[in-house]
Amino acid sequence: MEWGEVVEFDNKDSIPLNVQLKNLLRAEILQGEYKEKIPSERELMERFKVSRSTVRIAISRLVREGILEKRHGKGTFVYHRPIEEWLGNISTYNEIIENMGMKPSTKLLYQGIDNSNSKILDALGVNESYVIERLRFADSVPVALEKQYYPLHIGLELAKFNLDEAVLYDLLESALGIKLWEAEQIISSATPTRDEARNLGVSQKGFVLVAERVTQDPDGKPIEYLKAVFRPDIYCFRINLARKRG
């Protein structure tokens, strides 16, 4: 859909017009179509062919959800609150997105044996690895591109499940009986590759956040090597710090 394109909602749809409008505006905001101030009530009424009350209810809902904020005498603005991942816990992507009040979803891009990266093989302590590459969404907006590498025998077991829907950490612990204990993670920035930019819907001339993490079991045995690329305009990392006192 082009920015500003006139949209007429389906009055016969069981979903109320204000909810249809709220969902569409929320998707456009997350896609970056409104950087600061959103259009006026009149402009939204004309574009979507709806009443003022429908617009006001949709906007009020987005304000309550923390997507928009009203500034007295100035209008309604996008509230810049990125998806936050708190460091210090091994959380699943679904848990992080759901905690933000959003709906997570996944698209499997590739899975198979991958022995091309000696750094990853060394980190896992294996000669063969299995990679699962998935695109992660929040409310249908692409947020992260993940490549998760496993020792071959673990990867082949995971491959038996529907990886478009599976929560890998849940499968590892509940289906395979592997306990995830601790992880070491490095976060950096980089320019995206052509494929990364295309999948995430960002410019190849910009930057992305890159997280690389090795997760171990209670015996210190490496279980997973994760490389995740995040949109920096939507995703951030947060950590609590305390000054040590003697």
Side-chain angles (χ1 to χ4, degrees):
M1 181 183 298
E2 296 294 329
W3 183 89
E5 179 183 344
V6 174
V7 175
E8 292 193 44
F9 294 116
D10 184 359
N11 288 293
K12 297 180 180 179
D13 196 311
S14 60
I15 301 175
L17 287 178
N18 65 79
V19 177
Q20 292 184 56
L21 177 57
K22 184 206 75 167
N23 292 341
L24 192 148
L25 286 175
R26 181 173 184 170
E28 290 187 341
I29 290 167
L30 292 174
Q31 290 165 3
E33 294 189 11
Y34 306 114
K35 300 297 184 183
E36 295 293 337
K37 188 177 181 180
I38 68 168
S40 67
E41 289 183 356
R42 173 60 60 184
E43 289 172 317
L44 292 174
M45 289 167 58
E46 292 176 355
R47 179 188 170 197
F48 296 107
K49 307 300 181 186
V50 294
S51 67
R52 185 180 299 274
S53 62
T54 296
V55 171
R56 286 182 173 176
I57 293 172
I59 289 175
S60 295
R61 288 175 178 269
L62 290 171
V63 169
R64 289 198 297 271
E65 292 179 9
I67 302 296
L68 295 175
E69 62 175 337
K70 285 184 174 293
R71 299 180 188 173
H72 183 67
K74 294 183 179 180
T76 306
F77 292 77
V78 175
Y79 182 62
H80 294 288
R81 183 185 66 159
I83 297 167
E84 297 178 349
E85 177 178 342
W86 282 86
L87 299 178
N89 297 299
I90 301 176
S91 301
T92 70
Y93 178 82
N94 284 10
E95 291 169 342
I96 294 166
I97 299 305
E98 288 171 351
N99 286 339
M100 295 295 295
M102 305 168 77
K103 181 180 178 181
S105 57
T106 301
K107 179 181 179 181
L108 177 66
L109 300 180
Y110 175 80
Q111 65 182 99
I113 298 173
D114 186 339
N115 302 323
S116 61
N117 193 316
S118 59
K119 172 187 172 182
I120 293 174
L121 295 176
D122 289 344
L124 290 173
V126 297
N127 296 318
E128 293 184 289
S129 70
Y130 194 92
V131 64
I132 298 168
E133 182 177 9
R134 303 191 297 177
L135 185 59
R136 313 304 294 268
F137 299 85
D139 284 348
S140 301
V141 177
V143 172
L145 187 64
E146 292 182 343
K147 288 185 177 180
Q148 291 162 278
Y149 297 83
Y150 299 95
L152 184 58
H153 68 283
I154 295 177
L156 292 175
E157 288 298 314
L158 291 173
K160 297 176 181 179
F161 297 88
N162 181 353
L163 299 181
D164 271 315
E165 300 178 358
V167 177
L168 294 184
Y169 286 0
D170 288 350
L171 289 180
L172 288 170
E173 294 185 322
S174 62
L176 304 187
I178 297 173
K179 191 171 185 179
L180 304 176
W181 191 249
E182 63 180 12
E184 180 178 333
Q185 181 164 290
I186 297 174
I187 301 169
S188 60
S189 66
T191 55
T193 65
R194 182 175 61 182
D195 286 344
E196 289 169 349
R198 174 176 54 81
N199 280 309
L200 293 174
V202 298
S203 170
Q204 198 174 348
K205 296 180 180 180
F207 288 87
V208 289
L209 292 172
V210 180
E212 295 182 79
R213 182 170 73 203
V214 178
T215 303
Q216 301 174 336
D217 67 10
D219 296 324
K221 186 176 180 180
I223 298 299
E224 177 199 67
Y225 187 103
L226 166 70
K227 180 179 180 181
V229 179
F230 299 92
R231 284 181 54 168
D233 60 327
I234 294 180
Y235 208 93
C236 73
F237 295 89
R238 183 186 288 265
I239 187 170
N240 274 335
L241 299 174
R243 180 175 172 79
K244 290 185 177 180
R245 303 188 183 277

